[in-house]
Amino acid sequence: MATVSEQDSTGSNPIKEGLDSFRRFFESTRVDLGVTVSSDAVQAVLSTATTTVAKNLVLDLVLALQSQPVARILPSRFNRRTLLGDLSGYVTLIDSNNNFDIKSAIPLVESVVTNVPDVEIWTTVFNLVAHAASPKAPTPPTVLTPLRSGSASQRGVEQTTDEVDQRILEELTGRVYYDVGGFYEQYFEGKSWSNKARDIYEGFRTQYSVLSRLRHRYYTSANKVLRDSEAGHGEHDRSNVLVIGEHKRNHDEDSSTKTLLQLAGYAREVFRSQPDRRFVPGFTICGSIIRLWVFDMSGPYSSEKFDVHREPERFVKVIASYALMTDAELGLNTFIKRDENGKYIITRDVRISLEDKPIASTKAIVCTGTTCYRGKRSDLTDWEYVVKFAWLSDERQREGELLKLAKERGVKGITEWFNHEQVTIDGSPDTITSLRKGMKFGPLRKLSIKASWVDNSKESSRANSRTSNSLRGKSRSGVGRLTSLGITSSSTSISSRPKRKRDERFTPETSAIKRSRLDDSQVVTTNTELEVIENELDNFNIYSIEEPETDSLAYLVSPAGRPLHTYRSVREFLEALRDAITGHRSLLEDGKILHRDVSENNIIITESPPGAPKGDLIDLDLAKKLDSVPSGANHRTGTMQFMAIEVLQGKAHTYRHDLESFFYVFIWMCIRNGHEVAGDRRRVRPAKTSILRGWYTGTYTEIANTKRGHMVGFEDITAEFSPEFCGLKDLAEELRNTLLRGRDLAPFTGTYKDRSIMYDGTINAFNKAISHLGK
């Protein structure tokens, strides 16, 4: 029996036509099943219908009752929440239990079908949820269970869960904003589909009958593992995920760093599987608390949280909106167009077709987002360009300008500039400012988790130049495929505490971090005068910073090439590396430009005619135009495992350090590659199980000391050469002696003013090794 208060509430908030849609649905089902009109028609329908149809009928009714305003007013009879919460728990019980007793819902369905007074309907509702109500039972009114990528977030034996979480946390520290004002208005209001999202709420019946008709579809990956895009395409392929989500039972987990890390792990996987992505939308549901997120190349930021019990309309509109958004609104790069012939861009009024898969791409969240494709004009059959997309600071000299300068000065052996331009999306420049316009960013969020930052993240590198893009002063704020729920279908200095007299860990706490290349290897640049603070993040204090603008740019250079690790023979590998060194020399001597980021990924193998270079040096993102030679910068620059010993020690970067980096690339390739399995070359000795692990883990000083020790006990290095490269141990020894051998076997780390000593010695060593191949 209803209490006086319940009678008053139901009388003041009549259902009216709110259940008519369900009554029509029931009547249509009855007719379809051939059940005659009688006093036991409801029992006959629920007994005759299939389990799915019967459950959908009950779900339709309960969800329709949830949408009634009185459900948010009537207090629960079993706990401190409202009846809405009890109904949410009941929905979860029906949807998750294949053995759900459908007969228990017969009284409620009968009360609605026979159109009894409202107070009797609500009394029946109370009776129905009574046996299912439990103070400890989870009650999030979720329409679906968000994406859970689980162990699939890790790639290869080098990436344990703890290591990847540390890498992600390092990326995000100092870049996370909670409770951004205007977030909901920016992403969910005033859109072409906003009215449709509202209409969906008004006519909302079930997740199946409504959401299945939208542009995109929701899926759960609970108890499943999403396939990697490399493993094949399909409905549950990560390459199709558009929106990510995480579901927790406890309200308190909404603000925990652990929850953010899990969602960030999914974002990282989406960026890895979809290298064209500009940003990734997402959400967390913790208990009944929902928070909306966006991960862009400067880091994540969230909306203010809201309670789905108190604002069910907002919740349904958000879920519907994600399924209605355009590709651009979901963060896809629509500058890259697609038709029946594949991907292409239009630049300088020329159509450039792109290869389906990139030849290189980043694998992180806070990064340049660098992705490179091979491209060609539509009337040609051979690839002729490398098309590169990246998010870069406007305070750093643009790579396109340096490439143009190198071309004007007659530099040979590096990629040649063809064009570069600002990426535009829906007619507007694609910048961090445009993505974050109209929103109010408060203080950066401190990530309250402790870690022993022992491993230097490969993924957490390049670029505070595109980090959180906070306010300038006080005024500036910063596919159609859904097959998983998600949904599928220039540096900046950070103020810190005074410098401590101890060795610095490469950690998120280090100040003035200029993070560099985020690809398969780690790139880092930091100020020489590195100020450090407490290792424990609980004591980490983030101060306001002034950020440069970060633009999404497209570059076209030629010739097209293949990554260095795709060498087809030892000869091709050696020739490509030798010619890249020759190109580096020309860049320095003819172009007066120092590269400063020699790495495995910045050397390509070219399909060149006889007499042309077999390998080119690419990517001048970190290059510096020199007024005199030699010269260098007062901060560490490069890719961690290839950085020279002196650069790790914070000394000025010179041409000799780049030559040392070429040497480390050579060593890295000889150990990591050249193992044969079933006729296919693959990396059977990951760095984690190799002596090379010490080249990118620990502090700068530790890594420098490790490399110095390896250059003395060099036999430990050459002992790990793969079978295919065992014949190059003499070349390795000669290169070591040319670049690093000093007195008393101590590594030489100085720089000769006469550049020919090291350039000629290095190039001649390669020529001699190439001439001996096959003898």
Side-chain angles (χ1 to χ4, degrees):
M1 180 178 295
T3 66
V4 174
S5 175
E6 289 170 348
Q7 292 176 4
D8 290 343
S9 296
T10 56
S12 302
N13 298 274
I15 296 174
K16 296 182 180 180
E17 296 84 15
L19 300 180
D20 287 353
S21 178
F22 167 77
R23 294 186 180 100
R24 289 191 294 270
F25 183 27
F26 177 86
E27 181 63 15
S28 174
T29 303
R30 182 193 66 78
V31 173
D32 291 343
L33 294 174
V35 175
T36 59
V37 178
S38 64
S39 59
D40 61 351
V42 171
Q43 181 175 349
V45 167
L46 294 181
S47 300
T48 305
T50 64
T51 301
T52 300
V53 171
K55 286 176 65 173
N56 282 350
L57 274 168
V58 177
L59 281 170
D60 269 5
L61 176 53
V62 175
L63 290 170
L65 289 166
Q66 277 187 293
S67 68
Q68 296 301 308
V70 71
R72 287 173 276 170
I73 298 173
L74 291 170
S76 170
R77 293 180 178 179
F78 316 105
N79 49 53
R80 296 180 179 179
R81 62 190 177 198
T82 63
L83 181 59
L84 179 67
D86 292 338
L87 287 171
S88 298
Y90 191 70
V91 168
T92 301
L93 177 66
I94 299 173
D95 197 33
S96 61
N97 187 357
N98 291 331
N99 297 317
F100 172 73
D101 182 14
I102 204 72
K103 293 180 181 179
S104 64
I106 290 176
L108 176 60
V109 177
E110 284 184 339
S111 69
V112 174
V113 171
T114 57
N115 208 9
V116 301
D118 287 4
V119 67
E120 293 184 28
I121 291 177
W122 291 114
T123 298
T124 308
V125 170
F126 277 122
N127 293 336
L128 178 64
V129 300
H131 71 282
S134 170
K136 297 180 180 179
T139 60
T142 54
V143 173
L144 10 99
T145 304
L147 173 66
R148 299 299 304 273
S149 57
S151 62
S153 295
Q154 282 70 56
R155 296 287 296 170
V157 298
E158 291 186 74
Q159 300 188 56
T160 66
T161 300
D162 290 342
E163 287 176 329
V164 172
D165 282 351
Q166 285 190 352
R167 293 167 182 172
I168 293 174
L169 185 57
E170 183 182 336
E171 281 183 59
L172 301 187
T173 297
R175 294 165 175 83
V176 180
Y177 291 97
Y178 278 71
D179 302 320
V180 171
F183 184 108
Y184 182 80
E185 292 77 6
Q186 171 78 359
Y187 287 102
F188 297 95
E189 291 187 351
K191 308 297 182 183
S192 60
W193 37 261
S194 293
N195 289 339
K196 186 172 183 179
R198 184 196 62 228
D199 293 342
I200 287 173
Y201 172 74
E202 297 296 336
F204 188 75
R205 299 196 306 174
T206 72
Q207 57 176 308
Y208 308 105
S209 62
V210 175
L211 294 180
S212 62
R213 297 194 298 268
L214 300 182
R215 183 171 184 257
H216 307 301
R217 298 173 62 193
Y218 280 91
Y219 286 90
T220 174
S221 62
N223 303 318
K224 303 178 196 148
V225 175
L226 291 178
R227 288 199 299 269
D228 288 324
S229 57
E230 292 87 348
H233 297 281
E235 199 173 39
H236 294 286
D237 189 312
R238 276 196 192 88
S239 64
N240 293 326
V241 172
L242 297 180
V243 179
I244 56 176
E246 174 65 11
H247 172 209
K248 302 287 188 183
R249 294 184 178 184
N250 193 332
H251 287 68
D252 296 337
E253 294 186 85
D254 166 66
S255 58
S256 76
T257 300
K258 181 179 178 181
T259 299
L260 173 60
L261 277 178
Q262 287 179 303
L263 193 68
Y266 308 151
R268 176 179 178 268
E269 285 299 295
V270 172
F271 280 125
R272 183 187 63 79
S273 299
Q274 303 175 41
D276 300 337
R277 287 299 286 266
R278 301 157 47 238
F279 61 87
V280 178
F283 60 86
T284 56
I285 301 175
C286 298
S288 62
I289 299 300
I290 186 168
R291 186 181 294 276
L292 313 175
W293 286 91
V294 165
F295 290 78
D296 63 28
M297 296 301 171
S298 287
Y301 53 98
S302 82
S303 70
E304 297 173 320
K305 63 185 179 183
F306 65 92
D307 193 317
V308 296
H309 291 170
R310 295 187 176 90
E311 299 184 74
E313 178 178 359
R314 192 178 194 183
F315 172 68
V316 174
K317 286 172 66 176
V318 164
I319 295 300
S321 296
Y322 281 136
L324 291 166
M325 288 180 175
T326 65
D327 288 351
E329 290 166 338
L330 287 165
L332 277 69
N333 185 354
T334 55
F335 184 82
I336 300 177
K337 306 182 187 306
R338 293 166 176 81
D339 61 17
E340 64 277 5
N341 296 317
K343 297 180 179 179
Y344 69 96
I345 63 171
I346 303 295
T347 183
R348 287 169 55 174
D349 297 326
V350 177
R351 173 174 169 142
I352 304 295
S353 298
L354 305 181
E355 199 168 18
D356 184 52
K357 292 184 179 296
I359 59 175
S361 63
T362 59
K363 298 174 177 63
I365 301 169
V366 181
C367 62
T368 60
T370 300
T371 301
C372 298
Y373 292 92
R374 292 198 294 182
K376 62 182 180 181
R377 285 168 288 180
S378 301
D379 56 339
L380 298 179
T381 57
D382 295 332
W383 301 108
E384 54 182 335
Y385 301 112
V386 172
V387 182
K388 169 183 170 181
F389 299 92
W391 291 79
L392 300 172
S393 165
D394 64 359
E395 289 189 0
R396 184 180 294 280
Q397 187 162 13
R398 295 294 167 83
E399 180 185 15
E401 296 168 1
L402 290 175
L403 286 169
K404 287 178 68 177
L405 180 62
K407 182 177 181 179
E408 293 168 359
R409 293 177 175 178
V411 174
K412 305 295 183 184
I414 68 167
T415 51
E416 184 175 323
W417 175 89
F418 176 75
N419 187 48
H420 68 279
E421 62 181 279
Q422 170 76 59
V423 170
T424 57
I425 302 295
D426 291 341
S428 299
D430 199 24
T431 67
I432 292 297
T433 296
S434 64
L435 289 178
R436 299 185 174 194
K437 67 181 178 182
M439 292 180 279
K440 297 179 180 178
F441 289 76
L444 288 160
R445 172 64 63 94
K446 179 175 68 175
L447 302 182
S448 55
I449 189 170
K450 296 181 180 180
S452 58
W453 298 91
V454 176
D455 186 17
N456 289 336
S457 161
K458 295 180 187 179
E459 281 73 22
S460 58
S461 16
R462 184 127 186 213
N464 214 334
S465 60
R466 72 225 123 261
T467 59
S468 46
N469 199 23
S470 57
L471 308 180
R472 288 189 185 273
K474 297 273 185 182
S475 62
R476 175 175 163 234
S477 299
V479 295
R481 297 159 294 286
L482 268 77
T483 53
S484 284
L485 192 67
I487 302 180
T488 65
S489 126
S490 132
S491 66
T492 300
S493 60
I494 304 177
S495 301
S496 68
R497 299 178 183 176
K499 182 178 180 180
R500 296 185 179 271
K501 293 182 179 179
R502 60 179 173 85
D503 185 34
E504 72 276 14
R505 284 267 165 196
F506 180 67
T507 72
E509 295 91 334
T510 53
S511 71
I513 293 178
K514 303 178 188 177
R515 298 191 173 184
S516 288
R517 173 148 338 284
L518 271 148
D519 44 29
D520 198 29
S521 47
Q522 182 176 4
V523 181
V524 179
T525 62
T526 67
N527 284 356
T528 303
E529 294 300 320
L530 196 65
E531 298 176 351
V532 289
I533 62 176
E534 293 290 342
N535 262 348
E536 296 182 355
L537 287 172
D538 286 338
N539 298 324
F540 183 36
N541 189 10
I542 300 288
Y543 294 84
S544 297
I545 58 177
E546 184 173 308
E547 298 271 354
E549 175 61 288
T550 306
D551 298 339
S552 177
L553 302 172
Y555 296 91
L556 270 78
V557 296
S558 64
R562 294 180 282 113
L564 188 61
H565 65 79
T566 65
Y567 65 91
R568 294 166 182 158
S569 67
V570 174
R571 177 182 294 275
E572 184 180 59
F573 164 66
L574 293 178
E575 290 176 340
L577 200 52
R578 176 203 62 194
D579 291 350
I581 294 171
T582 303
H584 183 277
R585 184 177 194 171
S586 177
L587 182 67
L588 180 76
E589 296 181 347
D590 301 324
K592 302 298 185 291
I593 297 169
L594 183 63
H595 191 278
R596 303 194 305 171
D597 187 19
V598 172
S599 72
E600 174 192 4
N601 290 328
N602 286 342
I603 302 168
I604 62 172
I605 301 171
T606 59
E607 309 288 348
S608 302
K614 303 296 177 59
D616 275 354
L617 189 60
I618 65 172
D619 197 343
L620 302 188
D621 281 348
L622 297 181
K624 180 179 178 62
K625 185 170 64 175
L626 305 178
D627 297 325
S628 61
V629 178
S631 181
N634 292 322
H635 53 268
R636 298 174 178 90
T637 306
T639 301
M640 180 61 74
Q641 54 265 51
F642 308 121
M643 286 170 69
I645 294 171
E646 283 193 331
V647 173
L648 288 165
Q649 295 171 335
K651 296 183 180 179
H653 203 133
T654 72
Y655 76 88
R656 197 203 66 76
H657 299 129
D658 277 359
L659 287 175
E660 188 176 335
S661 293
F662 276 111
F663 174 56
Y664 294 144
V665 169
F666 169 76
I667 295 296
W668 186 271
M669 292 287 296
C670 288
I671 292 176
R672 297 266 284 184
N673 295 272
H675 304 266
E676 295 290 334
V677 176
D680 293 327
R681 192 180 295 112
R682 71 177 177 89
R683 294 179 177 178
V684 298
R685 188 190 293 274
K688 184 173 182 177
T689 62
S690 164
I691 195 172
L692 297 179
R693 179 172 173 79
W695 287 16
Y696 62 86
T697 60
T699 67
Y700 286 118
T701 299
E702 288 169 349
I703 296 171
N705 289 339
T706 296
K707 285 184 175 179
R708 182 186 294 272
H710 289 166
M711 295 305 105
V712 175
F714 197 58
E715 63 278 1
D716 293 335
I717 289 290
T718 55
E720 289 201 1
F721 274 28
S722 67
E724 187 173 18
F725 292 112
C726 274
L728 301 182
K729 291 182 179 180
D730 288 344
L731 171 59
E733 191 75 40
E734 186 170 355
L735 291 173
R736 190 273 303 254
N737 293 341
T738 299
L739 296 171
L740 290 161
R741 191 64 172 265
R743 298 175 184 174
D744 302 322
L745 300 181
F748 170 75
T749 54
T751 299
Y752 292 118
K753 291 184 178 180
D754 183 359
R755 298 183 298 274
S756 63
I757 295 175
M758 288 190 167
Y759 274 116
D760 289 347
T762 301
I763 294 170
N764 289 339
F766 273 99
N767 285 332
K768 183 167 67 173
I770 292 168
S771 67
H772 280 83
L773 289 176
K775 292 184 180 180

